[in-house]
Amino acid sequence: MSDRPIGVFDSGLGGLTVLKEIMKILPNEDIVYFGDTARVPYGSRSKDTIIKYTFQAINFLLSKNVKAIVIACNTATARALKEANEKYDIPIIGVIEAGARTAAYSTKNKIVGVIGTEGTITSKAYNLEIEKIDKDIKIIDKACPLFVPIVEEGWSNTDIATLTAKRYLDELIKQDIDSLVLGCTHYPILKRTIGEVVGEKIKLVNPAKETAIDLKKILENQDLMNNNSKVSYEYYVSDIPEKFANIAGEFLKKEIENIKNVEIQKY
Ligand code: DGL
């Protein structure tokens, strides 16, 4: 048993989609969330930069005495998870393995769409993980760089979001995908819009739930579970907290108080 918190990190707001699942699946755990809002987006940055940012986020979370870390960002998982696991001793998991597994088991016609940032799509991390499970699955992938700013702007359920989704996704729909991996932690916030554009027949795969289940298994196996009845959630961001508070509160359906600023460059 361990009463130390879990660390969750994303380039910004997107990791809240993973945080929400962790809160549901591990309701007795304290959590420290860090959103690197001053440096979002990571999606178009180089691998070296993302590794540097990810290590700084991990160092910060370690200063909060976390017992395990979830890299709740596809781009950081694709670019820096391996390096993070080589460098640090505590359990660190990302979101891609869980997302790939969910997609591989969800597809019936073995044609899977994967959407994400440029960094995630260029890395082919989803393709590699899905191929490990079933090499007959055909993957149609596409970077959708405008989705992240639309979410960060709070425009997820607007006609701008719908038009953008149509423009990006038409080509995937035409190629007969039956499952679509939301391979960026911001995209589940656009789930309604994306769902309306692709139609009911295409299953939307959100890696967040499987990631939370994976985390639970790791905590159980390493005897790190907590059984707190009163949990604490701390939020840190690298830019001003107000905008984060509004969108996060709306998304998590609760008031988020006491968001603190962190000078992440120091870590
Ligand atoms: N959270 C990132 C991801 O899941 C998207 C935002 C960004 O580009 O930093 O890939």
Side-chain angles (χ1 to χ4, degrees), residues 136-168:
D136 293 332
I137 294 176
K138 182 174 166 196
I139 296 155
I140 320 277
D141 55 4
K142 185 161 181 71
C144 304
L146 287 179
F147 280 164
V148 168
I150 286 174
V151 170
E152 296 272 332
E153 202 56 42
W155 289 353
S156 301
N157 296 311
T158 64
D159 47 356
I160 293 170
T162 304
L163 281 174
T164 310
K166 278 193 182 137
R167 184 76 187 247
Y168 282 138

Side-chain angles (χ1 to χ4, degrees), residues 10-11 40-43 73-75 117 120 148 184-186:
D10 178 46
S11 54
V40 69
Y42 284 10
C73 171
N74 287 264
T75 311
T117 64
T120 299
V148 168
C184 168
T185 46
H186 282 62

